[in-house]
Amino acid sequence: MIHLVRGAEPGELPEIRRTELERFRAIFTSKGVDRHELGKRYTEVKRYLWRQQELKCCYCEKICEDVGNDLEHYRPASRYWWLVWTWENLLFACPNCNRWAKNDEFPLVDETARLKPEEAPPQGEQPQLIDPATEDPLDSIQFVLDSASGRWLPRPRGASVRGAETIRVLSLDRQALLEIFQRYVEDYVMPEVTHLRKLMDAGDEQSVRTDWGRRIPRALQRTRHHVALTYDVFDHFFPEDERQRWGLVLPRP
């Protein structure tokens, strides 16, 4: 998971929000929250958000089509119906992260501080789930190489509680996703690591710096799959003290 640039609110969304809020308030007053009555007009901005996120799920970083995938509500629609059409609450996500894993979960540090209907966030809320559009997930989650299994596993960075909760809520350590992570590292990241390590072992300083400056930024382009994972793999095999000796910089995505 990497920090996302959501961009400016699409011009059509304010009017959609105004009319849909007015419509749903009447329903809420008469019978409470009925998810089936929320409608789907918020999905009219899905393709725009999908492109803003480089065609990727905001959570697992898989590249996927917009059709058949979800316009996700950071604060779930079932609990925060008045934010369903709010731009700052919308993200593009795959169904596995959104519907299968997260669903309606939205843990807070203090559950008694949860927003009341039509209150604007955050008020006193302290979400335990990382919002990739407002913060850098790399501060709270890192991928580590598990010596027992040889797999790259998402773990809280620096014992981050929010990192641990985000991994749990989104099931970022689900077995199928771990296999996808592993295959990506083996096929696309390790060849870069092996190439650069050979140059370092040969003491070819000029080639190391030239190839690092060309290959690392390309591997960390935001349009790639699993950029946060790639960053942590490079950081593992080329730790900071070694990078400093060679005069190399590992840019955060």
Side-chain angles (χ1 to χ4, degrees):
M1 196 190 311
I2 59 173
H3 178 60
L4 306 173
V5 179
R6 187 185 277 117
E9 180 179 60
E12 66 269 31
L13 190 57
E15 180 60 19
I16 292 173
R17 180 168 57 249
R18 186 189 66 78
T19 57
E20 289 297 281
L21 269 174
E22 184 177 337
R23 178 186 65 81
F24 194 79
R25 279 192 191 104
I27 296 171
F28 177 74
T29 301
S30 64
K31 59 179 183 180
V33 176
D34 183 345
R35 290 190 65 167
H36 299 293
E37 296 285 357
L38 287 170
K40 295 290 184 182
R41 290 208 64 195
Y42 59 86
T43 64
E44 293 179 27
V45 299
K46 180 167 73 170
R47 175 157 291 192
Y48 177 84
L49 192 52
W50 171 64
R51 288 172 175 152
Q52 286 294 112
Q53 292 179 198
E54 309 293 356
L55 321 184
K56 296 196 294 185
C57 171
C58 64
Y59 297 129
C60 71
E61 286 197 82
K62 286 184 298 190
I63 293 176
C64 47
E65 298 179 58
D66 61 329
V67 177
N69 290 285
D70 296 348
L71 196 61
E72 136 82 342
H73 296 93
Y74 171 68
R75 285 179 166 82
S78 61
R79 293 186 171 193
Y80 301 85
W81 58 266
W82 63 99
L83 300 177
V84 165
W85 307 274
T86 298
W87 180 237
E88 291 77 15
N89 197 46
L90 297 176
L91 296 163
F92 177 80
C94 73
N96 287 341
C97 287
N98 183 30
R99 281 179 266 159
W100 182 82
K102 177 176 177 275
N103 205 354
D104 294 332
E105 273 208 77
F106 193 70
L108 304 176
V109 171
D110 179 5
E111 285 292 328
T112 66
R114 195 172 294 278
L115 296 180
K116 303 298 188 297
E118 306 221 36
E119 284 186 334
Q123 303 291 332
E125 279 194 344
Q126 294 178 272
Q128 295 281 49
L129 182 68
I130 293 167
D131 180 356
T134 62
E135 54 193 307
D136 188 348
L138 284 175
D139 292 335
S140 302
I141 298 174
Q142 72 177 133
F143 287 87
V144 299
L145 180 59
D146 179 62
S147 57
S149 65
R151 285 186 161 189
W152 290 91
L153 308 177
R155 291 290 183 259
R157 191 182 296 274
S160 167
V161 173
R162 297 186 70 232
E165 274 292 90
T166 299
I167 293 167
R168 180 191 67 79
V169 169
L170 299 174
S171 294
L172 292 178
D173 54 0
R174 55 189 186 266
Q175 289 305 308
L177 191 54
L178 292 181
E179 189 166 334
I180 290 171
F181 291 156
Q182 194 69 19
R183 188 74 61 86
Y184 188 81
V185 170
E186 291 172 357
D187 291 349
Y188 298 101
V189 187
M190 287 311 298
E192 302 289 357
V193 170
T194 300
H195 172 79
L196 290 164
R197 180 54 64 194
K198 284 181 179 178
L199 294 179
M200 289 178 171
D201 289 345
D204 190 343
E205 185 173 337
Q206 183 59 47
S207 293
V208 167
R209 290 178 176 168
T210 298
D211 281 24
W212 180 281
R214 179 166 51 90
R215 290 170 176 260
I216 296 297
R218 182 175 62 197
L220 293 174
Q221 286 178 350
R222 300 174 65 84
T223 54
R224 297 286 187 103
H225 292 268
H226 314 305
V227 178
L229 168 63
T230 302
Y231 175 89
D232 283 329
V233 173
F234 286 143
D235 188 48
H236 172 86
F237 285 107
F238 306 106
E240 185 175 5
D241 59 343
E242 183 178 33
R243 298 197 304 267
Q244 287 179 346
R245 289 199 303 272
W246 287 94
L248 306 174
V249 175
L250 181 62
R252 283 173 73 106

